[in-house]
Amino acid sequence: MDANTALLAVVVVTALAFDFTNGFHDTANAMATSIATGALPPRAAVALSAVLNFAGAFLSLKVAATIATGIVDSGAITLTVVFAGLVGGLAWNLVTWYFGIPSSSSHALIGGVAGATLIAVGASAVKGAAIVSKVLIPAVLAPVFAALVATAGAFLVHRITRGTPGAVRERGFRVGQLCSASLVSLAHGTNDAQKTMGVITLALVADHAIAPDAGTPFWVILACAVTIALGTYTGGWRVIRTLGKGLTEIGPPQGFAAEGSSAAIIFAATHFGLPLSTTHVTGGSVVGAGLGRRLAGERSEVRWGLAGRMVVAWLVTLPAAALVGAAAWKGADAIGGTGGAAVVFAVMLLLAGGLYLAARREPVTHANVNAEWTGRLVPVKEPVG
């Protein structure tokens, strides 16, 4: 195996590692509300989401094409640049997972690639207008639209079912959540799995393994679909807890409205090839569902302090991942060749291992993910005796 082939292998492994974190980081987008309302047991929820994420990855390739050709100039990109960009996205995913922050894996990946490209090649290789139109504008509009649709949906379902006995209504909407949560998982697969497909395709083009207009090879589609499904099945319990229990107390009617809103917007974005943040959409939908319940005359509290911290994280995701991507390229380039990428990859493994061990000391698992929210990510342990 020559040095270039070895570097390509490192890039593909790093891309699949990012895809895996994308899976467990974004499980909350599909299943947090269903887990919070008791519509699905936690383990069953993540298993169902994993299967549907896998299926969704095969439904469309428009987002993969946008990532591969629409963000940076693929003709000016090297394997080291692609690798560094992946490191930027991967690092941000791991840090935000540890703190239970529902941030955007999509924006982390795009920011990392753009940052590495900017420092390695220059601003001319970054398609700024495309990033604004296909990433930044949808990032602003998506949570707003999601909140409005979910507010209207939650208000309507409460009004329409007001005369229905409480137990019957709750049971009916829990059944409805099986469908709406499944749609969000399927939609997530159509949008998020493709981002890693696009980056691997970009790497293959940079290595001249395929032509720029060749499209995404099937083995890339299959590998990304399997990896994001495995990541989803591990369950990103820390982020699930924040989204399902932290933002607002969710009942089955709000959960149904939030999931329906999220699925509709994500499918629409996929149709137009927009690499939308499913996290932004879901966060907006959950807040909107809480507001809709309140407008319908029922008690509901949206924890605006936590929502504000989430928005701050959304705002810094692109520049933070870009800085890490740029630093990763600098480090790999200073050492040079495959060895430079291997050293940076080893640093990433140390970061991942450190965060994993830290999370083990204060665990959030399927057993305590639905514990009462007390303002802390990690539930307070009940005293024994």
Side-chain angles (χ1 to χ4, degrees), residues 91-330:
W92 186 252
N93 264 6
L94 291 170
V95 171
T96 50
W97 160 77
Y98 174 74
F99 289 105
I101 301 171
S103 68
S104 171
S105 298
S106 309
H107 291 180
L109 178 60
I110 292 168
V113 171
T117 303
L118 185 64
I119 196 169
V121 184
S124 61
V126 179
K127 298 181 179 180
I131 291 177
V132 170
S133 64
K134 294 186 176 182
V135 179
L136 297 182
I137 292 177
V140 174
L141 296 180
V144 175
F145 283 151
L148 291 173
V149 173
T151 298
F155 175 80
L156 288 172
V157 297
H158 278 283
R159 285 290 188 180
I160 292 169
T161 62
R162 175 166 286 183
T164 306
V168 175
R169 183 173 74 166
E170 298 286 297
R171 185 167 59 252
F173 277 114
R174 283 196 179 99
V175 173
Q177 279 193 273
L178 295 179
C179 299
S180 57
S182 296
L183 280 174
V184 178
S185 292
L186 191 67
H188 184 269
T190 67
N191 203 280
D192 275 52
Q194 292 184 52
K195 292 154 191 170
T196 308
M197 297 178 201
V199 171
I200 295 178
T201 302
L202 186 63
L204 294 172
V205 171
D207 191 50
H208 305 293
I210 62 173
D213 58 351
T216 304
F218 178 76
W219 69 266
V220 174
I221 300 171
L222 180 62
C224 291
V226 169
T227 304
I228 200 170
L230 290 174
T232 301
Y233 183 68
T234 63
W237 305 113
R238 303 175 83 83
V239 184
I240 288 173
R241 177 163 168 77
T242 299
L243 204 54
K245 301 296 290 186
L247 276 178
T248 185
E249 290 298 325
I250 297 175
Q254 299 100 278
F256 178 78
E259 290 162 357
S261 166
S262 297
I265 292 173
I266 296 167
F267 273 126
T270 300
H271 175 74
F272 291 107
L274 299 175
L276 196 67
S277 167
T278 53
T279 303
H280 292 190
V281 172
T282 306
S285 294
V286 171
V287 170
L291 292 174
R293 179 180 183 179
R294 189 167 185 172
L295 288 174
E298 299 195 19
R299 188 172 65 85
S300 178
E301 176 194 2
V302 175
R303 299 181 180 99
W304 292 109
L306 178 58
R309 291 195 294 274
M310 282 174 50
V311 172
V312 171
W314 294 352
L315 292 174
V316 302
T317 293
L318 272 167
L323 286 172
V324 177
W329 182 85
K330 273 289 190 184

